[in-house]
Amino acid sequence: MEMPNATRVPLSVRAQEAAVGLLSRLPTAVRARMAGPEVVVDDARLAVDARLLIRSLGARKSALVVDDSPELSRAALERSAPMLRAGRRPSQAVGVSDVRLRGAQGLLDATLYVPASGRDRSGALVFFHGGGWAIGSRAGYDHVGRFLAERTGHRVLSVDYRLVPEAPFPAAVDDALAAFDDTVARAREFGVDPDRIVVGGDSAGGTLAAVTARRAADRGDGPVPVGQWLLYPATDLAARHPSRDRFGQGFLLTDEDIVWFQDHYVPAGVDRTDPLVSVLYGTVAAATPPAHLVTAGFDPLRDEGERYAEKLRAAGVPVEAVREADLPHGFLPFVHLGPRFGEAVSASAEALRRMLD
């Protein structure tokens, strides 16, 4: 069953989608002129797609946080989500149905994406959306779920875990592990091979996927994902890394945003070096699954993500680490907003396909 907001969209929003779609398909030279001056940091050039997107935000202090309010921030993000489709019709090559997974304290809403070309028992990605653990939703990532299912030929389960501040840490990490376990237990129902399930996500969702992979490997019994697909995850909530000072202003995710999200996520008194909070700490078990870990060159979280790739390697975990040097944090949902975004997401989708095949 299609989600309601995937089919009934106000005309004004459709017009905005069409305008964004037209802009994303203009010749690169035209878009480059519209994007303004080049941005170069440490010999890396910010992609035209990213410059154009950032310029479109104007003088807004934050692209994510509205009036220090989780509720207003969520509403603003959901209003803008249709524009991320850039006027594209939902792919008919992917079947979509709403399901429920067992969370840590009750049922979680989720969406199952099934590619028309998919096998009866395919692999699956259990996907956790980004949004600083406070905003975002599976509805806002609907176009991402469709894209990944179609490109990989495997199923995608996109999960609405509990958000802060209503459900502070460890609610989200507990929901993530429970959702993975329930997917494995119900693999036949979902048409999934239980031995080919990857956990993944972007930003805060990438953090949840990394924690889930570690917890599954640490517990000694129970299923373990076959891989972890991590796009620009937050791995260290206890310390600052140089990229946070280098890119903490002007590149979509600001230093103020990071502080706001982290302070809402982790209650006072919780040790931020706890590996359930910050996967950069603690001992990595030998059974931890292989990782595809992507960082963005203009991302304040870049350095901590790359340090986590090094930590996994040092523990003997196979890691495919990729830096998309010309992109900012958060590029996964921008897959349809320009050729460079599409190229980067397609490359990670291909890596996901290899993990699931």
Side-chain angles (χ1 to χ4, degrees):
M1 180 178 69
E2 294 280 351
M3 287 183 293
N5 69 341
T7 56
R8 297 182 62 84
V9 181
L11 183 60
S12 60
V13 174
R14 290 192 183 279
Q16 290 175 310
E17 284 186 60
V20 172
L22 177 63
L23 180 62
S24 69
R25 290 187 285 273
L26 288 173
T28 300
V30 175
R31 297 171 67 251
R33 288 195 293 272
M34 296 176 67
E38 284 197 333
V39 177
V40 182
V41 179
D42 297 335
D43 296 325
R45 284 176 165 76
L46 188 65
V48 169
D49 289 354
R51 285 161 43 205
L52 192 58
L53 178 61
I54 291 170
R55 191 174 193 187
S56 73
L57 297 173
R60 287 171 57 184
K61 182 178 179 181
S62 171
L64 299 169
V65 179
V66 178
D67 294 340
D68 196 31
S69 166
E71 295 79 12
L72 293 177
S73 301
R74 291 171 193 164
L77 188 61
E78 294 304 313
R79 284 195 301 271
S80 67
M83 265 63 79
L84 298 177
R85 293 196 294 263
R88 289 170 170 78
R89 292 179 177 275
S91 173
Q92 299 303 305
V94 177
V96 181
S97 59
D98 291 333
V99 300
R100 285 191 159 186
L101 296 173
R102 292 183 182 87
Q105 293 186 11
L107 296 177
L108 304 173
D109 291 328
T111 303
L112 176 63
Y113 299 92
V114 181
S117 60
R119 292 153 284 188
D120 289 340
R121 286 173 65 81
S122 72
L125 169 69
V126 179
F127 178 81
F128 308 110
H129 64 77
W133 310 281
I135 61 177
S137 68
R138 64 191 172 102
Y141 274 71
D142 177 64
H143 63 297
V144 172
R146 293 172 187 268
F147 182 90
L148 294 176
E150 184 172 6
R151 285 302 180 97
T152 65
H154 292 277
R155 286 162 171 77
V156 174
L157 265 165
S158 182
V159 182
D160 268 341
Y161 52 90
R162 287 174 293 166
L163 299 178
V164 299
E166 295 87 350
F169 174 86
V173 295
D174 289 344
D175 280 347
L177 181 61
F180 165 70
D181 283 344
D182 196 37
T183 301
V184 175
R186 299 165 63 192
R188 183 178 297 276
E189 173 187 343
F190 297 138
V192 168
D193 180 346
D195 295 322
R196 287 188 294 145
I197 297 177
V198 168
V199 290
D202 75 320
S203 193
T207 305
L208 296 179
V211 171
T212 299
R214 287 273 294 275
R215 293 181 83 181
D218 287 344
R219 61 189 172 181
D221 59 2
V224 177
V226 73
Q228 44 183 326
W229 189 74
L230 314 177
L231 271 61
Y232 40 86
T235 69
D236 188 357
L237 280 68
R240 293 181 69 91
H241 296 259
S243 59
R244 186 159 159 189
D245 294 319
R246 196 73 167 144
F247 304 108
Q249 297 295 332
F251 299 103
L252 299 181
L253 178 68
T254 68
D255 186 63
E256 291 84 357
D257 291 338
I258 294 170
V259 171
W260 190 87
F261 286 125
Q262 291 184 355
D263 286 352
H264 278 79
Y265 180 50
V266 185
V270 172
D271 180 5
R272 294 194 179 192
T273 66
D274 182 338
L276 297 185
V277 176
S278 303
V279 288
L280 196 54
Y281 299 87
T283 301
V284 176
T288 300
H292 175 75
L293 195 157
V294 182
T295 57
F298 286 78
D299 183 357
L301 303 185
R302 182 193 71 191
D303 291 353
E304 63 191 75
E306 293 177 356
R307 281 196 61 192
Y308 189 55
E310 295 167 3
K311 181 181 182 73
L312 290 172
R313 281 202 192 98
V317 177
V319 179
E320 180 181 27
V322 176
R323 178 193 287 187
E324 297 291 359
D326 57 346
L327 295 182
H329 185 87
F331 63 79
L332 175 64
F334 307 148
V335 58
H336 297 315
L337 297 189
R340 180 65 189 103
F341 289 137
E343 178 185 70
V345 176
S346 294
S348 284
E350 174 60 21
L352 175 61
R353 184 195 63 77
R354 292 194 300 268
M355 298 175 85
L356 289 170
D357 277 351

